[in-house]
Amino acid sequence: IGTASPDSGVEERPKWDNKIQYLLTCIGFAVGLGNIWRFPYLCQIYGGGAFLIPYLIALVFEGLPLLYLELAIGQRLRMGSIGVWKSISPLLGGVGIASMIVSFLVSIFYNTIIAWVLWYFFHSFQNPLPWSQCPLNDNHTGYDVECEKSTSVNYFWYRQTLNITPDIETSGSLQWWLVICLASAWCVVYICFIKGIESMGKAVYVTATFPYLVLTIFLVRALTLPGATDGLVYLFTPDWEILKNPQVWLDAATQIFFSLSVAFGGLIAFSSYNSERNNCERDAVLVGVINSATSLYASISIFSILGFKATNAYNSCREDNILDLTNHFELSDQNMTLENYYQWYDYLNSTFPDEVASLPLKSCNLQTFLDQSASGTGLAFIVFTEAVMEMPGSQVWAILFFIMLLSLGLSSMFGNIEGVLTPMHDLKIVPKWIPNEVLTAIICLASFLMSLIFTLGSGNYWVEVFNGYVGSVPLLIIAFFEIIGVIYVYGMKNFSEDIYFMTGSRPNIYWKACWMVISPIMLLAVLIAYVGLQAQKHPTYPTWNPDYELFPQTQVKDYPDWVFAIILLLCIVPVISIPVVALYELICCKIQRSSARAEPSPYCNDGFVVETQEQNNQRF
Amino acid sequence: MLEKILILLCLSSALAEQPCKPDASDGYKVRLSIKTALGDEAYVWNENEMFLFRATLAFAMRSHLNGQEFDVSNIIVCDETPRVTFWFVVTSPLNTSGLVDKGVVEEAIRMSRNRINSAFLLTDKTLEFIGITPTLTAPVNPDTPPWLIVFGVVMGAVGAGIIVVLVSPLVLKKRKKNEETDEDEEETGVKAVENGSTREGVYNMSFSDDERLTQM
């Protein structure tokens, strides 16, 4: 398998216009929404600066080797994920099919998130922002009850956007506004993908670079807001004790793995369009380092803004107390301010302790507000929108933020869709007379119809199910088989020769050690730990239930059995193809071999073959 | 005699003070937060401002109860604090010792709330009548939700883009095909002309040169 099977001369493999397009596409695929809303959260809950240590270790020993492996194998064998694994060994064809299935399932729910971002983007063109006010109730005597109890931002997200049902069993109906947002999201993806990598390569100039511009703008803006430095200090203050907790190491390893978007097949597809002699080692290191640097940069921006938000909340908490005290004790207006709050409070508490105790004063602590962390959609659609409300010129910031999320999501979607389309070409199940544009349209339409599930009332719960289970365990298994397949089935020697052919130098001891020993062991450990932790308790999920006694807290419910069965299906169906295809090939191969022995081929002259073998033996 | 006058005076003053007291059943408490509202441009609360308040309130009562001529003297204020809070009661012009009902006062204030607020450059939040909740402004509901407009613009652009990208290669192909058929026609036409042309042929110079030579 030293020489790659060339494509038939009629159909030329598409190529990148230039190196920059390729790099930007890979970076765009790797840098996604998780860099914005997952990494800062992890940094925060795992002791700030101290989290960087397990994160960087995981990057060096797990992330970069896997990335380099995928880019190299794709570039050498010049096929999508199914073709590559079939070339290495027919028994490994299932790995490619697993990648394709996972890419398809992930692209379905990922585009739903883009649809939500589009919804918020469309609504950012209003003054005042729709999530800043509670709507009035039916007879205009007060505000809507659900909105009163929680906040206007929560209400806008849970009621006006999602119209969420109290649990996953109540499906509700299709929300028409989400359906049209979803349709527009798929149309945007389609127009970027219409000409394959020609159109996508041009779209990626914008989608991959725009987030950095917005992050910089936000950073500059946030650093001028009061309280930004509190947020940054809080984020980066290291808590070295946390390193003793094994959960931290597990989360760092999983974060780097999912962040780099390996095992989707998209990276293999992208590098297969490269010229054969491209330095993929440099590319891999570049993409990996830029991905982590982006996570760090994003967390600085995000945390400056969260620090500002926490300071605001702290100040308004104290101002509420000031108002209560001023009104009760009939002090002159503005006599008690934020600056002299504590002196006044001590004085009043010492002179009139009973009266002060009777007032409904809140305890205001900046740490508590900084501790309020959120990740995922909660960070983007609740916490950040609330922060944006308090910044002057909120519409501009909201629009910028949502365009940034849109770019990040789109560039990751490109990788997912590529992970579905290229294997379909490789499988050659599509008749030649169907042009590529039509095939892409069919895939987009099929995905759109399937993702209508996520526009139901219980859609958000389903997105969480897919996010938690499709995008985790199957990927770890696929990556493990990838590394075993390349290093042990294809052979480290063959792979080194290929890399020497492509880059002009053989991989050094670091890469070899990682590929042969460290990365597989790490992957296996992470997989076992991850599955073990998940299996320990019955999975639960938080629900938004207005009838809950402790509303607005989310009510934690168990997944019902049928949902649990679906979860198991989602984990198993992608990876089942690996053993199934292997078995199929084994059985087919055995049948072929036995049938070949039964019928002697007229072209197969055993005597001649034996002679040449003896000649070969004599020569060496 | 003097004692009787004194007792009468005391009684009358006591009676006069009776209507307005904190927690009066027909009175309201007012709270102003001038510094919060105006910051550096805050005015000092003094007797004149209080007079303006009583006059504004009398205006509100007049506007609500058409015909009854309320005067500044009908608004009685008491229990003023440095916070700038005070209680007030409204006496009826027809019966100076009788108080106007709480509900009526509330309605009057609700109707003219805006005018009262603007007389003092304050808002519903900084000029509070304790017990009278401000009527909430109904949210502006435009006929077409603005988000649909943005959606329409974006989707229109995307749809136009898709159609352009899909149709333009077909149009180009058609144009190419047309050009090719035109070229074919031209070639066949030229061939026909070539065959039937009588102007082809090389001009033979030898006959024209002969005359010159023979003249010698």
Side-chain angles (χ1 to χ4, degrees), chain A residues 119 122-123 125-126 136 140-143 177 180 184 187 190-191 194-195 326-327 330-334 437, chain B residues 29 31 33-36 81-83 85 136-139 146-147 150-151 154-155 158 161-162 165-166 169:
Chain A
W119 166 262
F122 292 147
H123 276 86
F125 286 90
Q126 294 173 8
L136 300 179
H140 287 240
T141 50
Y143 294 116
W177 55 92
I180 62 176
S184 35
C187 284
Y190 179 59
I191 194 181
I194 225 175
K195 291 262 175 225
T326 317
N327 286 345
E330 310 283 7
L331 306 167
S332 181
D333 189 26
Q334 292 293 323
E437 291 90 344
Chain B
K29 183 172 181 180
R31 184 187 294 137
S33 315
I34 308 171
K35 279 211 197 117
T36 316
T81 64
R83 172 73 177 85
T85 65
L136 304 160
T137 44
W147 75 271
V150 184
F151 165 75
V154 170
M155 278 310 287
V158 169
I162 290 179
V165 171
L166 282 179

Side-chain angles (χ1 to χ4, degrees), chain A residues 289-325:
Chain A
V289 166
I290 289 183
N291 179 49
S292 297
T294 310
S295 291
L296 220 61
Y297 191 52
S299 53
I300 297 179
S301 292
I302 299 285
F303 264 85
S304 315
I305 298 198
L306 290 183
F308 160 71
K309 178 176 177 295
T311 308
N312 261 21
Y314 174 59
N315 285 346
S316 58
C317 175
R318 286 190 298 167
E319 277 179 11
D320 283 342
N321 283 356
I322 289 177
L323 202 62
D324 285 338
L325 286 170

